[in-house]
Amino acid sequence: MGNFYTDVIMKDGRFQNSSRVADPNLLEPVTRKLVGAIIDAANKRGIALMIFETYRSEDRQLALFNQGATKLRTVGVHHYGLACDLVKNINGEPSWKGDFGFLGELAHENGMIWGGDWGNPGVAHTFVDSDHVQRCTLARQSALFAGTWYPDDSYDPYRDRPVA
Amino acid sequence: MKERVGTLSRLLLLPLALLLAAGCPLDRSTYVLRRSGQDWLRMGSDPNGEMILRFTLGMQEKSIALPQVVDRIRIERLDERRKPMDPRSDEGPAFIRIEGLAPIAGIPDGEWRLAWCTRH
């Protein structure tokens, strides 16, 4: 049985696109809906957000690896349509200025894992990605990359108890 | 007098930086912005593998994922002779030069010098 990755992403013309992709249509539908809800909620707080990156191809991942921008050579969660980077929208331009702690609250409220705490606010992380959200726990990533797991519509990362 | 103290401290700090640069892993290296002497940078990967630039500017902390900005900025890792290093290296460079983060993230341009190595 297929999933959004095999049925849509792999067949999309941008599957091997080496450029950054910010199209929400390459987000898995539940993830897309939740990202939309986060953007709306931020807007209500007076913070305009823009989607900066959704899908990331293997070619782009390798290019970023060669630039020393990522430790993952082949794919990450972005490749599967389950992750999104949201930055501030200042007059139509992306901005990383200021605090992004609000995104953690909104991500949690909408059932997404925030890169600022990786779903575990009690654990201190030295390096965080404060404008990244994903619909997949860190524990599930190896199964996702191996092609043995993909979330269904009811999947909630905060209720996920993966079998060891 | 102030200038002499500054020169002296730079002369003392340079050998220290060179000593520190010998084999300090990148994620245990802390850099200081040479221009201010009071802003700090650490660099390492998050649990998702993305390289993160973690700045401490005065009392403010700011983390930026390198994949998001790498196409918009200039970032160079340099050895103690200021020769470019492999950006994929896990070894902490002696210097990191960053330009272009000011307009998009409010991070000052400049050269960051290895200040210390955290050993575990």
Side-chain angles (χ1 to χ4, degrees):
Chain A
M1 199 172 111
N3 55 46
F4 185 78
Y5 175 67
T6 55
D7 296 347
V8 178
I9 291 179
M10 287 182 76
K11 292 173 183 168
D12 192 277
R14 293 162 290 183
F15 185 64
Q16 291 178 311
N17 190 344
S18 57
S19 309
R20 177 173 60 89
V21 173
D23 185 354
N25 291 317
L26 285 186
L27 288 174
E28 174 272 331
V30 177
T31 307
R32 190 188 315 149
K33 187 177 151 196
L34 298 176
V35 164
I38 290 171
I39 292 172
D40 289 346
N43 212 26
K44 283 178 186 157
R45 293 186 183 203
I47 304 166
L49 292 179
M50 68 161 67
I51 292 176
F52 190 72
E53 184 163 24
T54 53
Y55 169 72
R56 187 185 292 172
S57 71
E58 288 184 357
D59 285 358
R60 177 164 162 77
Q61 188 75 28
L62 182 60
L64 291 170
F65 174 81
N66 287 331
Q67 289 173 287
T70 177
K71 299 301 282 181
L72 297 181
R73 180 191 279 270
T74 51
V75 291
V77 182
H78 279 284
H79 184 65
Y80 297 88
L82 296 171
C84 183
D85 295 331
L86 293 162
V87 298
K88 291 177 185 166
N89 182 342
I90 308 291
N91 301 321
E93 292 295 320
S95 173
W96 289 261
K97 287 181 181 171
D99 181 53
F100 276 75
F102 70 92
L103 194 54
E105 293 169 35
L106 300 181
H108 194 271
E109 283 170 20
N110 287 281
M112 298 277 286
I113 301 289
W114 177 49
D117 63 17
W118 301 103
N120 230 331
V123 176
H125 293 281
T126 307
F127 298 106
V128 298
D129 190 350
S130 54
D131 44 28
H132 172 95
V133 294
Q134 64 181 51
R135 190 168 164 261
C136 168
T137 62
L138 291 175
R140 284 285 185 192
Q141 286 183 191
S142 53
L144 177 72
F145 300 163
T148 56
W149 175 85
Y150 198 83
D152 60 23
D153 289 358
S154 65
Y155 174 70
D156 177 350
Y158 288 98
R159 293 171 185 268
D160 189 12
R161 296 284 180 272
V163 179
Chain B
M1 179 66 183
K2 217 174 186 181
E3 206 171 287
R4 276 189 195 165
V5 172
T7 308
L8 186 65
S9 63
R10 272 196 292 276
L11 283 172
L12 289 172
L13 285 171
L14 183 62
L16 181 64
L18 299 183
L19 189 70
L20 287 172
C24 187
L26 178 62
D27 60 0
R28 293 186 188 172
S29 301
T30 300
Y31 296 83
V32 62
L33 181 61
R34 294 184 63 211
R35 186 149 51 91
S36 70
Q38 57 184 16
D39 299 309
W40 308 96
L41 164 65
R42 289 191 65 188
M43 195 172 169
S45 61
D46 71 12
N48 222 356
E50 308 277 77
M51 290 304 291
I52 304 294
L53 301 168
R54 177 180 160 182
F55 298 93
T56 306
L57 307 172
M59 297 293 284
Q60 285 192 320
E61 287 269 340
K62 181 76 190 164
S63 292
I64 297 174
L66 190 52
Q68 295 174 22
V69 297
V70 72
D71 297 333
R72 294 165 180 256
I73 66 169
R74 186 173 170 204
I75 179 166
E76 288 179 295
R77 301 189 198 187
L78 306 169
D79 68 13
E80 60 274 15
R81 293 179 180 176
R82 289 194 168 76
K83 286 186 178 166
M85 287 175 60
D86 184 345
R88 297 168 299 182
S89 174
D90 289 329
E91 189 184 324
F95 303 95
I96 299 175
R97 274 193 206 135
I98 302 177
E99 289 171 22
L101 273 177
I104 58 174
I107 308 294
D109 287 346
E111 186 174 84
W112 302 75
R113 172 181 54 76
L114 182 61
W116 73 77
C117 178
T118 307
R119 308 273 179 190
H120 289 287

